[in-house]
Amino acid sequence: QIPVGTEIEGMNILGLVLFALVLGVALKKLGQEGEDLIRFFNSFNEATMVLVTWIMWYVPIGIMFLVGSKIVEMEDIVLLVTSLGKYIFASILGHVIHGGIILPLIYFAATRQNPYHSDGAFRAPDALCFISPCSVSSSATLPSMIKCIEENNRVDKRIS
């Protein structure tokens, strides 16, 4: 069965992206007249980043209480600790293999440069990704990553 017209559920992401691109080009073409709206969107983006940062500071507390309530409900704590220990070991091993071996190899293959030269330029986002349970979403670490890209790696704000 092929969905037609209104039978398709969800957001029209392609239409939204296309509209944003066309609006951006139109605002740039307006020159000085479009600068006010561009400044508004930049300010709105900065405010959104501040809100996401605030939320990220309080998320671990909420997660702690959610996990704590489940731990209190458990009957066999030894089983919990051994299972959790195995999971933590597997997670750390996976992070070490992926972040310490696979990603540097991909970086070296693509750039032929030393992948360990950055002197910890991305340490903060990496740590946030590792310790935050909601880091499954890239939007959770986005403010931290943008800050590191702009400050530590001296990338222009328009690019980041």
Side-chain angles (χ1 to χ4, degrees):
Q1 183 178 16
I2 300 173
V4 179
T6 59
E7 294 178 15
I8 299 173
E9 293 183 22
M11 288 179 44
N12 183 2
I13 298 296
L14 184 58
L16 185 63
V17 169
L18 184 64
F19 173 76
L21 286 172
V22 171
L23 179 65
V25 170
L27 288 175
K28 201 65 178 166
K29 186 137 177 90
L30 283 175
Q32 190 59 34
E33 294 173 359
E35 286 296 320
D36 293 336
L37 194 54
I38 291 173
R39 276 196 301 276
F40 167 77
F41 283 127
N42 284 337
S43 297
F44 186 76
N45 182 44
E46 292 296 323
T48 303
M49 291 298 180
V50 169
L51 287 174
V52 168
T53 303
W54 288 350
I55 291 168
M56 286 306 300
W57 276 103
Y58 291 109
V59 163
I61 297 168
I63 298 291
M64 179 186 68
F65 282 107
L66 287 172
V67 170
S69 68
K70 293 298 177 188
I71 289 174
V72 169
E73 292 174 3
M74 293 205 63
E75 294 175 11
D76 189 7
I77 298 296
V78 175
L79 177 65
L80 168 74
V81 171
T82 55
S83 299
L84 195 57
K86 291 176 188 176
Y87 172 74
I88 290 171
F89 175 74
S91 177
I92 290 173
L93 183 64
H95 281 283
V96 167
I97 291 171
H98 182 69
I101 299 171
I102 303 297
L103 290 179
L105 281 175
I106 293 171
Y107 180 84
F108 178 75
T111 64
R112 298 285 187 233
Q113 294 178 356
N114 182 2
Y116 301 105
H117 78 286
S118 64
D119 297 328
F122 293 106
R123 233 178 248 147
D126 288 343
L128 182 63
C129 283
F130 186 69
I131 63 171
S132 175
C134 64
S135 65
V136 175
S137 168
S138 62
S139 63
T141 57
L142 194 59
S144 177
M145 183 61 78
I146 290 174
K147 181 180 177 187
C148 285
I149 287 172
E150 290 173 359
E151 293 176 3
N152 299 347
N153 295 326
R154 297 177 299 281
V155 172
D156 186 14
K157 183 175 182 155
R158 294 173 296 174
I159 294 172
S160 66

